[in-house]
Amino acid sequence: MSGTQVQEKKTVTLGSLWRDKKSRGVILQIFAVIVILLFIGNIVSNTVENLDRLGVKVGFDFLTEPANYDINQTLIEYDSSDTHFRAGLVGLLNTLLVAVCGIVVATFLGFTAGVLRLSNNFVLSRLMQVYVEITRNVPVLLQILLWHGILIHSLPVPKKAEAMFEGFVLTNRGAYMPQPIPQEGFGWVWIALIIAIVGAVLFKKYANKVQIETGRLIPAIWIGAAFIIGLPLITFLLMGSPIEISYPELKGFNYKGGFVIKPEFMALWFALSIYTGAFIAEIVRAGIQSVSHGQTEAAHALGIRPDFTMRLVVIPQALRVIIPPLISQYLNLTKNSSLAIAIGYMDLVATIGGISLNQTGRALESMAIVLGVYLFISLFISGLMNIYNKRVALVGR
Amino acid sequence: MSIETKKYPVGMHPALPPPSGSVGPLRWMRDNLFSSVSNTVLTLLGLYLVYIIVPPFIQWAFIDSVVYGAESRKECLAIMGEDRGACWSFVYRRWGQFVYGFYPIEERWRVNVAFILTFITIAVVLVEKLRANKPVLIVGILLPVVSFFLITGNSLFGLVDVPTNKMGGVLLTLIVGLSGIFVSLPISIMLALSRISKLPIFSIIATIFIEFIRGVPLITLLFIASTLLSYFLPAGSNFDLLLRVLIMVTIFSAAYIAEVIRGGLAAIPTGQYEAADALGLSYWQSMRLIILPQALKISIPGIVGSFIGLFKDTTLVVIIGLLDPLGIGMAAISTTAWAGLSTELYVFIGLFFFIFCFSMSRYSLYLEKKLQTGHNN
């Protein structure tokens, strides 16, 4: 008590405030806030002034105007009379499509290459090293352009292309393949699939319980897989195969009908998967190496079978190291997909941030949308990541 | 027979050679390549992959290729005749552009001198013996300023001004890459320190800044630089596109490097901070003398990694219309004379980046080994 009284009696000068650690912190922070506010205020006032001078309106009303441009690959119904908003949505879906496809292939490539790099097989481990070093050290934009160039220049034009086998044609306008078109009654197959998945999950839980209580092992994964494949298949046959297949046919200069994968998508997909796969390979290698050999030996000493050792001892511990950088690679892949603009794949940046921006002149709003969407994706994934990290974090004692 | 007859005292028998078949290349191959059926299949598959990729590539890139003596792709094809090799002539013909962009030919010596000065700076920074000598270090760090005046020109020294839109090729890549890393390093240290700062406002500001920059693709930031930045500045101010790009690239890499340094700071045991406090050092003294030297040391591999990333990302400037080597090459292959040589171009530019990035990553590995002083557990 007496100490504080003594302090209160002291005259407070600027110098004494500065010498005190706590009050100095407060002063510095207030100062920082003022500087930041001045900076932002300056930018805002400049922007308002510039927009006034140019006579540009600000607002998102342009999103409801017709877009007037075509998009060559759409996941949802779209034509040039649809709004800019819908064009942006098509772009976002295209971004997500290439990101998800890329992540699946990159993960597969990366895990394969990472494990093979550690194998005793000299030829394979060297091959994987060469793959990793070459792709990691060459800019991804260049790889996208290279794949695009290869697909466009080395594949035949539709007129000269020959079907590899019935209904599959590879041309420089895209890879054409038969498209199954669901007919009436196909909905039941989806329902059967959902029921099968729920059933398989429940069965796996039951199997776990049985194993914990009695030690009896039930091959729940195989039974579940059979269930997930079998139930929809039986429903499909019972409904009388409610599906029609549309085959691509050559009409004029191009193929019509069927399912088509555009070369732009393929180039972006291959390049991003191969590039990111190399980074994932290094992450997987480091993860596996981080699990000390004593763990494997201890598991063997306990009489655990080698395959169970890998599955129950090594991989869970390696995943703890692998997953955080793996997720950041996934985010990098998603962000790198914005390079699509270089080869004309219509992703989010190319639609809203590209053609819509140029047509309407609403640079501020368009870029704000693009930045906002990417930020949302990044922060959402990092949020999930933090939850995961907390769950798997080693409990310190 | 002689082995049997000779007698040794117990335990003194010289070691016999290992049985034949457990050593030598054959044994090694059996252990490492053909140890099981699946391994054998994979080995053969791998060898087949090498066989179908490497010889045709060498044939295309070196044996059947044309470098000299062709003025267009047609002439290349005429020289090659039946073979279908690479046509490197456009690289040879436009070598000057690939290196200097559209820098005036009579002024190119300035760029060459700047390249040499930059090389000296890098050598001073990287080689420990040179770095230890203070005067040498100061000169080395001041040389980039000289390079800057050399490249942009300055009437004070009687050098003609060269506008930045004339700069291109490798020159541009090095300008963007090197100034990006050198300017972003101090910024990133500040960002990292303020992110872990106990003062909430500083930590919030730094966190928002870092997460924003890391959450969006570089290309969108470059679009902002090329289209939006003019809105944010006072009316009538119009500054150079290259400078705007440099600012964006700098803050982009600063955000990434800040996270690397934050990792390094987090790895410093609390005891070090407490020891600094116990010695009565002020915040800046303890950072400068105790914390940062250790934190930066363990962050070096990560920083080099970020730099490799930044160096590769410099290719993105081509999308907003700056002419880096890729841009120069794309301009070349869009002329009628060289049309259709995209594969050659991408392979050539890829090789350029590979050489730079691969050697940097090797250097980082070497540093990592050297810096392992055995202090970390």
Side-chain angles (χ1 to χ4, degrees), chain A residues 206-273:
Chain A
Y206 166 74
N208 281 350
K209 207 176 125 199
V210 167
Q211 195 197 345
I212 288 170
E213 281 170 2
T214 67
R216 195 159 56 87
L217 274 177
I218 301 173
I221 291 185
W222 295 111
I223 294 176
F227 201 53
I228 289 174
I229 297 170
L231 193 65
L233 197 68
I234 291 169
T235 325
F236 178 73
L237 294 175
L238 279 180
M239 295 304 295
S241 310
I243 215 161
E244 208 168 74
I245 293 175
S246 142
Y247 285 98
E249 281 165 37
L250 188 60
K251 280 185 185 155
F253 289 107
N254 208 349
Y255 278 89
K256 289 264 158 61
F259 185 71
V260 56
I261 302 176
K262 295 278 181 193
E264 288 80 26
F265 175 80
M266 270 197 280
L268 195 61
W269 182 26
F270 291 171
L272 289 177
S273 314

Side-chain angles (χ1 to χ4, degrees), chain A residues 166-186:
Chain A
E166 187 57 38
F168 287 84
V169 199
L170 212 55
T171 76
N172 67 357
R173 301 274 189 92
Y176 291 85
M177 52 195 77
Q179 181 181 26
I181 298 171
Q183 304 295 310
E184 208 183 329
F186 194 77

Side-chain angles (χ1 to χ4, degrees), chain A residues 25-70:
Chain A
V26 175
I27 295 173
L28 279 174
Q29 293 189 67
I30 293 173
F31 184 69
V33 170
I34 292 173
V35 169
I36 294 279
L37 285 181
L38 279 179
F39 181 68
I40 294 174
N42 190 21
I43 285 182
V44 170
S45 78
N46 280 340
T47 312
V48 170
E49 200 178 299
N50 284 327
L51 292 175
D52 259 4
R53 193 167 45 84
L54 297 169
V56 182
K57 283 183 300 175
V58 179
F60 290 93
D61 49 313
F62 73 98
L63 286 175
T64 57
E65 289 164 15
N68 293 326
Y69 61 89
D70 281 320

Side-chain angles (χ1 to χ4, degrees), chain A residues 21-22 24-26 28-30 32-33 36 42-43 46-51 53-54 56 116 119-124 127 129 133-142 145-147 149-150 153 275 279 332 334-336 338-339 341-342 349 353 357 361 363-364 367-368 370-372 374-375 378-379 382, chain B residues 28 31-34 39-40 42-43 45-47 49-50 198-202 205 211-221 223-224 227-228 230-236 256 277 283 308 311-313 315-319 326 330 340 342-343 345-347 349-351 353-355 357-358 361-362 365:
Chain A
K21 212 174 175 180
K22 248 185 198 155
R24 186 171 60 208
V26 175
L28 279 174
Q29 293 189 67
I30 293 173
V33 170
I36 294 279
N42 190 21
I43 285 182
N46 280 340
T47 312
V48 170
E49 200 178 299
N50 284 327
L51 292 175
R53 193 167 45 84
L54 297 169
V56 182
L116 286 183
S119 85
N120 287 332
N121 192 318
F122 177 80
V123 173
L124 283 182
L127 259 184
Q129 192 182 358
E133 293 298 352
I134 287 183
T135 41
R136 269 200 332 168
N137 288 314
V138 172
V140 63
L141 175 64
L142 212 56
L145 290 171
L146 180 65
W147 277 107
I150 289 174
H153 291 304
Y275 180 75
F279 285 89
N332 280 347
T334 311
K335 284 185 279 175
N336 281 337
S338 59
L339 298 180
I341 197 165
V349 178
L357 186 152
L364 270 181
M367 285 316 289
V370 172
L371 292 179
Y374 277 110
L375 261 187
S378 292
L379 294 180
S382 332
Chain B
W28 179 86
D31 278 353
N32 289 309
L33 300 179
F34 306 106
N39 219 346
T40 309
L42 285 173
T43 303
L45 211 70
L47 289 177
L49 209 64
V50 172
K198 288 193 189 80
L199 307 176
I201 299 280
F202 282 99
I205 292 171
E211 291 302 326
F212 175 77
I213 300 290
R214 279 161 46 96
V216 298
L218 177 59
I219 188 68
T220 56
L221 293 178
F223 277 146
I224 292 178
T227 60
L228 284 189
S230 56
Y231 283 127
F232 300 149
L233 298 168
Y256 279 82
D277 281 346
Y283 176 79
I308 295 174
F311 197 73
K312 286 185 295 176
D313 281 344
T315 44
L316 301 200
V317 298
V318 91
I319 296 179
L326 180 59
M330 284 168 119
S342 57
T343 310
L345 170 67
Y346 302 144
V347 169
I349 306 285
L351 187 70
F353 277 98
F354 179 78
I355 291 170
C357 298
F358 185 69
S361 72
R362 288 289 117 167
L365 274 184

